[in-house]
């Protein structure tokens, strides 16, 4: 065989190995990827009911109810609201009017079943999309060093 043919075979084998490796890595990440949405995003997106997602925003004032370990409340980005149900123990920092990220499944449009609740003590740790939506509505309460820059 000529050297040119041998190099071509090495290139093809390397390319196939690279594509196979990349596809295996992407397939492994597929189950671990959880997308984040604000309540406004959910209004325009079609989400499968078996797809795990995260929603975030503020816990709307006056919407928190409790029945034993079942909690119901609304998450808002001050444009849209979504009803959230959660069974379990809420984090100590969970309050109405505070930032929250809930991970779980969309039951139907406007209703979310949370399996995990992450509460934040202020908007400093809020995802950029939600923080921008809250700033645009005039409800932003934080004034951090990163905002001043």
């Amino acid at each position: 065989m000529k050297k040119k043919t041998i190099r071509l075979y090495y290139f093809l084998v390397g390319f196939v190995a690279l594509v196979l490796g990349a596809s295996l890595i992407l397939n492994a990440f597929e189950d671990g990827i959880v997308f984040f949405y604000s309540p406004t995003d959910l209004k325009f997106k079609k989400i499968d009911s078996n797809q795990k997602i995260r929603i975030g925003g503020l816990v709307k004032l006056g919407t928190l109810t409790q029945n034993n370990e079942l909690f119901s409340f609304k998450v808002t980005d001050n444009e849209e609201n979504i009803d959230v149900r959660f069974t379990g123990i809420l984090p100590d920092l969970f309050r109405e009017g505070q930032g929250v990220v809930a991970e779980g499944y969309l039951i139907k449009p406007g209703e979310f079943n949370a399996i995990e609740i992450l509460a934040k003590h202020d908007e400093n740790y809020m995802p950029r999309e939600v923080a921008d939506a809250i700033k645009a509505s005039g409800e932003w309460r934080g004034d951090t060093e990163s905002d001043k820059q």
Side-chain angles (χ1 to χ4, degrees), residues 20-66:
L20 182 63
S23 66
L24 288 174
I25 289 171
L26 290 174
N27 191 27
F29 280 136
E30 187 176 318
D31 292 336
I33 294 175
V34 179
F35 292 101
F36 176 85
Y37 299 99
S38 70
T40 301
D41 292 338
L42 289 175
K43 183 178 180 181
F44 302 109
K45 302 270 185 186
K46 180 161 175 34
I47 307 291
D48 217 8
S49 62
N50 61 355
Q51 179 183 358
K52 186 188 288 188
I53 62 171
R54 286 185 180 159
I55 62 166
L58 297 175
V59 179
K60 190 170 183 177
L61 294 172
T63 63
L64 179 63
T65 60
Q66 179 182 4

Side-chain angles (χ1 to χ4, degrees), residues 16-113:
V16 168
L18 182 66
V19 168
L20 182 63
S23 66
L24 288 174
I25 289 171
L26 290 174
N27 191 27
F29 280 136
E30 187 176 318
D31 292 336
I33 294 175
V34 179
F35 292 101
F36 176 85
Y37 299 99
S38 70
T40 301
D41 292 338
L42 289 175
K43 183 178 180 181
F44 302 109
K45 302 270 185 186
K46 180 161 175 34
I47 307 291
D48 217 8
S49 62
N50 61 355
Q51 179 183 358
K52 186 188 288 188
I53 62 171
R54 286 185 180 159
I55 62 166
L58 297 175
V59 179
K60 190 170 183 177
L61 294 172
T63 63
L64 179 63
T65 60
Q66 179 182 4
N67 184 4
N68 294 327
E69 285 190 2
L70 175 64
F71 294 91
S72 298
F73 55 92
K74 290 184 185 284
V75 172
T76 184
D77 59 5
N78 291 322
E79 290 181 28
E80 295 292 328
N81 300 320
I82 186 166
D83 294 323
V84 178
R85 293 189 317 215
F86 174 70
T87 302
I89 299 172
L90 290 172
D92 291 338
L93 296 175
F94 183 89
R95 305 264 188 286
E96 289 182 337
Q98 291 288 336
V100 66
V101 173
E103 185 173 315
Y105 300 92
L106 195 62
I107 301 169
K108 60 183 181 180
E111 289 189 29
F112 187 78
N113 187 28

Side-chain angles (χ1 to χ4, degrees), residues 105-133:
Y105 300 92
L106 195 62
I107 301 169
K108 60 183 181 180
E111 289 189 29
F112 187 78
N113 187 28
I115 56 174
E116 184 177 10
I117 299 288
L118 305 168
K120 300 171 299 293
H121 59 83
D122 60 17
E123 290 84 5
N124 291 337
Y125 302 106
M126 186 170 294
R128 180 175 299 280
E129 297 87 1
V130 175
D132 290 344

Side-chain angles (χ1 to χ4, degrees), residues 3-19:
K3 287 184 179 183
K4 188 174 182 179
T5 307
I6 293 173
R7 276 187 285 182
L8 182 62
Y9 285 140
Y10 281 133
F11 175 75
L12 288 175
V13 168
F15 182 73
V16 168
L18 182 66
V19 168

